Amino acid sequence: TKLEVEELLSILKQAFCDNDICTFLIKPHILYPVRDIIRLVNSSYSSHNFKLCINESLEDLMISSRAVITTCSTASLDGIICQCPVIIPKLSCRIVMNPLTEDNDGFAIYVSNQDELVNAVTSVINSNESPIEFSKIKPFINEYLAFAGTEDEYYSRLENEL
């Protein structure tokens, strides 16, 4: 939603506008109007450490990224596949609905405020290796994206989740 995007960009600006620890690549969500993101970023971000990435594919951005900051996008799963820890700010305008809200094997880092966000990003940037163990990625993704082979199996899984 518009509120979510505005709050997330505001948090990033407050936390990192004067902090040159890294460059933030901002990829608009496919369902959010790009012109609104451009307006928000251009009017609010004079810092060189924020770059709007409209034409680059998400996959290309992930390959060169150290982490993903998102709220409820399936970009979380793309990040995990590329061994990027997922930093999830808890926004005041939204219930946490990220695909990683359940047991996530340490793939997600939840932050509740600006200081926690700075600490999480700094920790990831200063680490020599990804905190995500490569051996855990495939089993997690396979379990997350497990498709039921039959209708009965689908309903059985659904009942087990309730």
Side-chain angles (χ1 to χ4, degrees):
T1 68
K2 182 178 180 182
L3 283 175
E4 178 184 350
V5 170
E6 288 176 356
E7 185 174 353
L8 183 55
L9 289 175
S10 175
I11 291 168
L12 285 172
K13 179 184 175 188
Q14 290 171 13
F16 296 102
C17 201
D18 296 325
N19 187 335
D20 284 341
I21 191 169
C22 63
T23 299
F24 291 87
L25 306 176
I26 300 170
K27 177 72 175 169
H29 192 280
I30 193 167
L31 297 178
Y32 191 83
V34 172
R35 69 181 183 286
D36 290 346
I37 294 281
I38 292 170
R39 181 185 48 77
L40 283 168
V41 172
N42 287 342
S43 66
S44 302
Y45 295 85
S46 58
S47 175
H48 63 277
N49 56 341
F50 294 94
K51 179 184 175 197
L52 186 60
C53 301
I54 296 172
N55 298 319
E56 295 87 342
S57 73
L58 184 59
E59 292 75 20
D60 288 343
L61 294 173
M62 292 289 179
I63 290 170
S64 62
S65 295
R66 297 288 306 267
V68 176
I69 301 174
T70 188
T71 53
C72 66
S73 176
T74 56
S76 302
L77 301 176
D78 291 310
I80 290 170
I81 291 168
C82 293
Q83 273 190 289
C84 292
V86 180
I87 301 172
I88 304 169
K90 295 178 182 175
L91 303 180
S92 63
C93 66
R94 152 170 227 104
I95 296 172
V96 176
M97 295 179 61
N98 191 285
L100 303 178
T101 54
E102 294 298 318
D103 180 29
N104 64 56
D105 274 339
F107 298 136
I109 303 166
Y110 289 91
V111 296
S112 298
N113 58 52
Q114 179 179 325
D115 291 336
E116 289 180 7
L117 178 60
V118 170
N119 291 339
V121 169
T122 302
S123 175
V124 170
I125 295 301
N126 289 333
S127 65
N128 291 329
E129 296 179 7
S130 171
I132 296 177
E133 292 179 41
F134 187 75
S135 63
K136 291 184 176 183
I137 295 171
K138 186 176 180 181
F140 176 80
I141 295 295
N142 284 342
E143 177 68 24
Y144 187 88
L145 298 175
F147 295 102
T150 66
E151 190 174 329
D152 288 341
E153 183 182 353
Y154 170 78
Y155 287 116
S156 174
R157 286 184 187 178
L158 189 59
E159 286 175 5
N160 290 337
E161 291 296 319
L162 301 176

